[in-house]
Amino acid sequence: MARIFSGIQPSGELHIGNYLGAVKNWVALQATAESFFCIVDYHAIIAAYDPADLRIRRREMALGLLASGLDPQHTSVFVQSDVPEHTELAWIFNTVTPVGELERQTQFKDKSARQESVMAGLLNYPILQAADILLYRADTVPVGEDQVQHLELSRVIARRWNAQYAPDADYFPEPQPKLTPTRRIMGLDGQAKMSKSLNNTIGLMESPEEIWAKLRPAMTDPKRIKKTDPGTPEVCNIYHLHKAFSPPATVEHVAMQCSTAGWGCIDCKKVLAGSMETELVPIRSRAAELRARPAALDEALAAGAEKCRRVAKETMRGVRDRMGFD
Ligand code: ADP
């Protein structure tokens, strides 16, 4: 039976890039296999942070995941630091990972180029990620496109550890990514991927007014200057958001109106705002319910952590045994 694992940083509020690229898929997959969804707080401390703020962001992320539709009856939602085996296995994987592989990671190259002093944690981040996944011996990892290279490294690590310590059995599976149709959502500037760190996001819990204030000036087809210019939907970020949020008939209508200069960009964005509301209203209302019952959130996280600790201990028993630690 397939095992699914994926993680998300406790960045506070979920944005629509996280939601469309990953979390919506998690909700669809949660009941199809044994699944584990992790709030990766050890990953989040690589950048400077405020400890009190981390506590809040961790809870807000848990709330966002449950409000998006993850159901503790079907899946385990948990916090990484509640399962100490993540860091134990990461250390072990440090010993089978060539530094060259880490230095080749695009995210490391991008992020380290912007820093004066680069911490080892930034370089080793994908090792912890491999440990997160392989601790549950997961073979399927629903993620956005930005994580595909890291997953390739997880497969290298699984292969190397297996070759060294379990040559007769594939103890760790080689995990494969599972992408959504909306594998990469661009930010509102249309320049780079939507990411909390780039300040170009729309949060799932933002009000319709806040969303409209961001959508209204958002980048569209750069060649479409006047309302009377016909646009090219495929190059327009707003059109891609329509494909994620609007029903197929609306998407077709939008493409036709844009390419024949029937609608201006603001008309098109108003329809998008309506489609987004249809999807986001139930999420916001579930979030409000959860906010009123904080004990339910605590219970869900405690149950998730308990199940995960059990699975993690089992995996580590095999690892320790094969590596001569008992
Ligand atoms: P962020 O990049 O905002 O810090 P994370 O690194 O915590 O988000 O990513 C959580 C999940 O969301 C990952 O599976 C990642 O692939 C996905 N994701 C993040 N940003 C995007 C995006 N712009 N488009 C599609 N998926 C995304």
Side-chain angles (χ1 to χ4, degrees), residues 34 84 102 112 114 131 185 216-217 226 234-235 238 269 275 277 305 317:
E34 199 172 3
L102 296 169
S112 60
R114 284 185 253 135
I185 298 294
R216 202 185 160 86
K226 298 192 298 292
E234 282 306 329
V235 303
I238 296 298
K269 288 172 174 176
S275 301
E277 274 307 282
R317 207 169 306 135

Side-chain angles (χ1 to χ4, degrees), residues 63-64 66-68 205 281-293:
L63 188 132
L66 297 194
S68 298
M205 309 295 169
V281 161
I283 296 178
R284 279 192 221 116
S285 81
R286 274 195 297 269
E289 280 166 32
L290 282 162
R291 254 182 234 291
R293 291 187 299 128

Side-chain angles (χ1 to χ4, degrees), residues 6-9 15 17-18 21-22 26 125 142-147 182-186 193-196:
S6 200
I8 189 157
Q9 297 212 39
H15 58 72
N18 301 140
W26 300 358
Y125 183 105
V143 282
E145 196 173 52
D146 55 338
Q147 295 301 327
T182 41
R183 53 184 62 183
R184 182 180 164 91
I185 298 294
M186 299 299 281
K193 80 156 192 170
M194 182 174 285
S195 175
K196 195 85 182 172

Side-chain angles (χ1 to χ4, degrees), residues 221-241:
D221 171 357
K223 293 217 177 80
R224 196 175 183 200
I225 312 291
K226 298 192 298 292
K227 201 173 166 173
T228 48
D229 296 336
T232 309
E234 282 306 329
V235 303
C236 175
N237 197 27
I238 296 298
Y239 178 64
H240 289 290
L241 290 176

Side-chain angles (χ1 to χ4, degrees), residues 122-134:
L122 186 65
L123 182 68
N124 292 346
Y125 183 105
I127 299 183
L128 181 55
Q129 200 171 9
D132 297 338
I133 298 163
L134 294 173

Side-chain angles (χ1 to χ4, degrees), residues 1-305:
M1 181 160 156
R3 264 204 185 164
I4 295 172
F5 176 94
S6 200
I8 189 157
Q9 297 212 39
S11 51
E13 202 182 3
L14 277 168
H15 58 72
I16 60 171
N18 301 140
Y19 177 69
L20 298 171
V23 177
K24 199 173 170 181
N25 210 11
W26 300 358
V27 173
L29 292 168
Q30 63 181 332
T32 65
E34 199 172 3
S35 59
F36 303 86
F37 297 111
C38 181
I39 298 169
V40 292
D41 48 357
Y42 277 137
H43 285 279
I45 62 172
I46 285 172
Y49 75 103
D50 169 10
D53 187 44
L54 180 64
R55 289 191 186 95
I56 297 169
R57 289 192 278 126
R58 199 191 281 129
R59 266 193 93 72
E60 278 300 301
M61 183 51 71
L63 188 132
L65 293 178
L66 297 194
S68 298
L70 285 184
D71 177 354
Q73 301 292 328
H74 290 305
T75 186
S76 304
V77 179
F78 72 107
V79 173
Q80 184 185 31
S81 61
D82 283 341
V83 186
E85 285 83 358
H86 284 256
T87 46
E88 185 184 357
L89 188 57
W91 173 254
I92 286 169
F93 284 164
N94 264 290
T95 65
V96 294
T97 310
V99 173
E101 296 271 358
L102 296 169
E103 286 170 339
R104 264 198 292 283
Q105 300 297 309
T106 314
Q107 270 197 26
F108 172 72
K109 286 198 269 189
D110 287 352
K111 290 190 175 164
S112 60
R114 284 185 253 135
Q115 294 176 9
E116 234 169 73
S117 166
V118 178
M119 296 297 145
L122 186 65
L123 182 68
N124 292 346
Y125 183 105
I127 299 183
L128 181 55
Q129 200 171 9
D132 297 338
I133 298 163
L134 294 173
L135 193 52
Y136 303 94
R137 298 163 85 182
D139 46 29
T140 307
V141 188
V143 282
E145 196 173 52
D146 55 338
Q147 295 301 327
V148 167
Q149 195 188 25
H150 286 168
L151 263 179
E152 211 173 287
L153 183 58
S154 294
R155 289 197 290 279
V156 170
I157 293 174
R159 221 173 293 144
R160 280 182 162 251
W161 190 92
N162 286 341
Q164 212 156 319
Y165 297 106
D168 51 329
D170 287 338
Y171 188 76
F172 289 119
E174 294 187 19
Q176 304 294 333
K178 193 169 175 72
L179 296 167
T180 55
T182 41
R183 53 184 62 183
R184 182 180 164 91
I185 298 294
M186 299 299 281
L188 294 171
D189 49 9
Q191 302 295 312
K193 80 156 192 170
M194 182 174 285
S195 175
K196 195 85 182 172
S197 56
L198 298 175
N199 212 5
N200 60 2
T201 61
I202 291 183
L204 277 195
M205 309 295 169
E206 288 192 70
S207 68
E209 294 74 29
E210 286 166 323
I211 292 180
W212 182 245
K214 290 180 172 182
L215 273 185
R216 202 185 160 86
M219 185 70 168
T220 55
D221 171 357
K223 293 217 177 80
R224 196 175 183 200
I225 312 291
K226 298 192 298 292
K227 201 173 166 173
T228 48
D229 296 336
T232 309
E234 282 306 329
V235 303
C236 175
N237 197 27
I238 296 298
Y239 178 64
H240 289 290
L241 290 176
H242 266 295
K243 287 208 275 194
F245 283 108
S246 297
T250 308
V251 175
E252 219 174 283
H253 189 64
V254 161
M256 192 269 288
Q257 292 291 358
C258 171
S259 54
T260 57
W263 284 354
C265 294
I266 291 290
D267 303 316
C268 174
K269 288 172 174 176
K270 278 187 187 150
V271 177
L272 174 63
S275 301
M276 287 178 68
E277 274 307 282
T278 307
E279 182 127 0
L280 299 182
V281 161
I283 296 178
R284 279 192 221 116
S285 81
R286 274 195 297 269
E289 280 166 32
L290 282 162
R291 254 182 234 291
R293 291 187 299 128
L297 193 62
D298 291 334
E299 271 167 37
L301 291 177

